[in-house]
Amino acid sequence: MAGRSVVVGVGHYLPERIVPNAEFEKTLDTSDEWIRTRSGIERRHFAAEDETTSDLATKAAEAALADAGLTAEDIDAIIVATSTADLTFPSAATMVQARLGMTQGFAFDVQAVCAGFVFALSNANALILSGQAKRVLVIGAETFSRIMDWTDRSTCVLFGDGAGALVLELQEGEGTAQDRGILATDLNSDGRYKDLLYVDGGVSTQSTGHLRMQGNQVFRHAVEKLAKTAETALGRVGLDSSDVDWIVPHQANIRIIQGTAKKMGLPMDNVVVTVQDHGNTSAASIPLALSVGKQRGQIKSGDLIVTEAIGGGLAWGAVVLRW
Ligand code: UT7
């Protein structure tokens, strides 16, 4: 017997405003064709002016709780993966806690940029397996539209806003790879690559700043590192790519998603793809894809899923779970 962190609920929220690629043609030297062929993105959602990350996170959390048939009273901890919290402090997670009317337990944010949800899932699993929490709400929520430089065509066309959430619950398993729940994780970072993807501002430098990215360099690292981290995580429980039902990747670029699947020897039929509709929503992209994948009828109970992501830091990693 072994404790496992099992997904018992999933949900998401996307802001109302949908912005198609063509919108950028009005202000930038770009085209729908360039954005589609280079990134796979067709449209993205942008939060309303008065809508914050914790607003999106709260709505995704409510949807995940409803899906689980639980209320906030059943939750012991909330982790929000985000790089775009409403305020410098307190954490977005404590704001969600208050909005859900939850006065017990604890809440905190995890910041590992686009790999944030993978890091948050791994942390939630550790809290559950060490007996510190029985049920954890794990949320990825972002408003990257707030840190775009709208004059920089190489970045501002790529990102979007949104939130997704999972409820994880401690359940007993057999201790084998057939168990439902999180089976393995693999986390990595290498701070030497800071300059490839960063925001040129922050509290300590006294500005908000804008996202800066050397896209083709990040692309090179992504193709090299994502299949490897996924295979490392699978190997930890004696599995390999041939056991995988669904890759649920970070949704940054369709060409990275295709390249990773190819390296893993899996067809695109085994990949949940949402990048065309959401753009890159950083830490929100994986829980959004899990929620949409379930809604579409792709992800079913018992399926073996590997999620993988890379982003600023660089930070990257993977989580293997049975749905
Ligand atoms: O989520 C965190 C991790 N982030 C990622 O995984 C993003 C990884 N990178 C990428 O997705 C891709 O590198 C991009 C989509 C950002 C760019 O695609 P690329 O094939 O790597 O293009 P590139 O950066 O090498 O640029 C090719 C050309 C350049 O022009 P020159 O120098 O060849 O004349 C750019 O100036 O495309 C130009 N370009 C654009 N043209 C039209 C860059 N952005 C645009 C644009 N519209 N929006």
Side-chain angles (χ1 to χ4, degrees), residues 54 58 62 72 78 90-104 107:
S54 71
T58 302
E62 286 167 346
I78 300 175
S91 64
T94 53
M95 294 187 185
V96 173
Q97 184 188 25
R99 291 272 295 278
L100 293 177
M102 179 177 151
T103 50
Q104 80 287 1

Side-chain angles (χ1 to χ4, degrees), residues 140-266:
E142 302 278 16
T143 46
F144 261 49
S145 62
R146 305 291 199 258
I147 50 168
M148 290 298 111
D149 173 351
W150 299 111
T151 65
D152 177 9
R153 68 176 184 173
S154 72
T155 54
C156 73
V157 302
L158 302 174
F159 292 86
D161 302 336
L166 297 184
V167 181
L168 291 179
E169 179 182 272
L170 175 66
Q171 292 184 7
E172 282 301 320
E174 298 297 324
T176 74
Q178 292 311 308
D179 288 346
R180 289 187 65 212
I182 295 179
L183 300 175
T185 66
D186 182 57
L187 303 182
N188 310 269
S189 61
D190 189 337
R192 286 176 302 170
Y193 297 116
K194 185 207 93 187
D195 292 343
L196 299 188
L197 176 49
Y198 66 103
V199 171
D200 60 359
V203 186
S204 189
T205 50
Q206 302 187 43
S207 62
T208 305
H210 295 110
L211 182 144
R212 306 292 174 203
M213 177 166 74
Q214 294 178 39
N216 47 13
Q217 295 297 316
V218 177
F219 192 102
R220 198 171 55 77
H221 283 282
V223 170
E224 176 201 313
K225 293 181 165 63
L226 288 173
K228 192 157 169 263
T229 184
E231 282 163 358
T232 300
L234 285 163
R236 293 206 164 125
V237 274
L239 299 172
D240 63 34
S241 299
S242 66
D243 298 301
V244 172
D245 294 302
W246 296 105
I247 304 176
V248 183
H250 170 49
Q251 311 279 325
N253 186 314
I254 190 65
R255 292 184 296 138
I256 295 174
I257 294 171
Q258 288 163 339
T260 305
K262 194 170 172 206
K263 274 202 166 177
M264 292 176 69
L266 286 166

Side-chain angles (χ1 to χ4, degrees), residues 15-17 46-52 56 143 145-146 161:
E16 256 172 51
R17 185 174 164 222
F46 284 149
E49 242 169 69
D50 60 350
E51 206 172 24
T52 63
L56 310 187
T143 46
S145 62
R146 305 291 199 258
D161 302 336

